[in-house]
Amino acid sequence: MFLMELFIFHEGIAMKRVVMGIVAASLVASSALAADLASKPYVKAPAMVDPIWSWTGFYAGANGGYSWGRSNASVLPTSPLGVNIRQNVDGGLGGVQVGYNWQVDPKWVLGVEADIQGTGERGRSIDPLLAVRIGSIGLSGSTNSSTDFPWFATFRGRAGLLADPSLLLYATGGLAVGEVKFGTQATLTAQLFDGNSNTPIGGPVTVVGPAVSESKNSLGLDRRGRCREEV
C-alpha cells in the first residue's frame, strides 16, 4: 500500500480514489463470503454404538470328530465256557444338528436341539474260551467278536449363561437313541499229541461254529456341558 501512495502522488488524487475504491470493494466482498460460510448449519457426526446381540432364532449346522469308547459283552455266561468280552470301540463320526434359541433376558438363553450322527466306531477282539489237555488230546477254543455303532441321535433341551453378549456357557441334557451291532463266532481246535509228550501228531482239526449276531436299538440319557461363541 505504501508504494501505491507514492505512485498516486505523482499522477493525481483521482487515481488514488479509484485504487482505494477497489480495495474497499474487495473488503466488502470478503466480508460477504465469510458471512455466507458462517450461516451454514453444523451437523454432528452420529455417535458410534455397539452392535446389539441376540441369540433368539433357528440355527442349523454340520459337525465331525472322533470318538473313543468301550464295550462289554458276555458269551455263554451261564456255562463253564463263558467269557467276558471287552473291546475298544473307536472311530470317526459326523452329522447334522438343528435347534432354536430363546434369549429370555440379557443374561440367560434357553433352547432345544436335535442331531443325528453316522459313525465308523468299531471294535474287534479274539478272546480265549478254553485251553485244556485230556490225555493225548489238546483242546483250545476262542471267540472272534465284533462291535459296531453305526449311528445315534439325540434330542435335548439346554440352558445357558451369557458371559458376554457373544459368549454362551451352557449345559444340555435329554434323550439319546442309537443302534449297536454285536457279532461273535466260536472256534474249537483239537490236536493229537504223542503220549504224554508235547510232540504233535499230524495237523490240528478246527471246527468253526456258526456266527451269532445281534442288532439292538438303545435309548438312554445324554448330558453335556459346552461353551459356544457367536460371531
Side-chain angles (χ1 to χ4, degrees):
M1 179 63 72
F2 179 72
L3 293 176
M4 289 297 294
E5 288 179 353
L6 288 178
F7 175 77
I8 292 167
F9 178 78
H10 289 286
E11 296 295 330
I13 296 174
M15 179 60 72
K16 181 178 180 180
R17 288 179 179 175
V18 171
V19 173
M20 293 301 293
I22 293 173
V23 173
S26 176
L27 291 175
V28 171
S30 298
S31 299
L33 179 59
D36 290 341
L37 291 175
S39 65
K40 292 184 178 179
Y42 173 71
V43 179
K44 185 178 180 180
M48 298 295 293
V49 296
D50 293 331
I52 298 175
W53 293 91
S54 176
W55 287 78
T56 297
F58 285 99
Y59 65 90
N63 63 80
Y66 195 88
S67 175
W68 294 264
R70 293 278 292 172
S71 72
N72 292 291
S74 296
V75 176
L76 304 174
T78 60
S79 76
L81 301 179
V83 60
N84 191 30
I85 299 171
R86 294 181 175 89
Q87 297 175 338
N88 293 324
V89 183
D90 307 329
L93 57 87
V96 295
Q97 73 270 356
V98 63
Y100 189 85
N101 286 327
W102 294 271
Q103 185 168 349
V104 295
D105 67 25
K107 281 293 184 182
W108 292 97
V109 176
L110 302 178
V112 292
E113 183 174 289
D115 66 272
I116 186 167
Q117 313 289 330
T119 88
E121 296 178 66
R122 294 178 175 84
R124 302 288 185 268
S125 65
I126 298 176
D127 302 278
L129 279 174
L130 61 89
V132 64
R133 176 82 174 264
I134 303 174
S136 299
I137 301 175
L139 297 174
S140 64
S142 64
T143 60
N144 190 345
S145 305
S146 65
T147 303
D148 296 88
F149 189 31
W151 68 273
F152 68 93
T154 69
F155 308 90
R156 294 169 284 111
R158 68 182 185 182
L161 173 68
L162 288 169
D164 70 37
S166 63
L167 181 63
L168 177 67
L169 307 176
Y170 67 90
T172 179
L175 295 177
V177 60
E179 182 182 8
V180 179
K181 295 181 178 180
F182 176 77
T184 188
Q185 188 171 37
T187 300
L188 180 65
T189 301
Q191 176 67 56
L192 181 63
F193 293 90
D194 182 13
N196 292 324
S197 70
N198 291 324
T199 303
I201 299 175
V205 177
T206 301
V207 178
V208 178
V212 179
S213 62
E214 179 185 13
S215 178
K216 181 173 64 175
N217 293 331
S218 298
L219 181 67
L221 295 177
D222 179 63
R223 298 178 296 275
R224 310 180 196 181
R226 292 181 179 177
C227 172
R228 180 177 176 185
E229 185 171 6
E230 185 172 282
V231 294

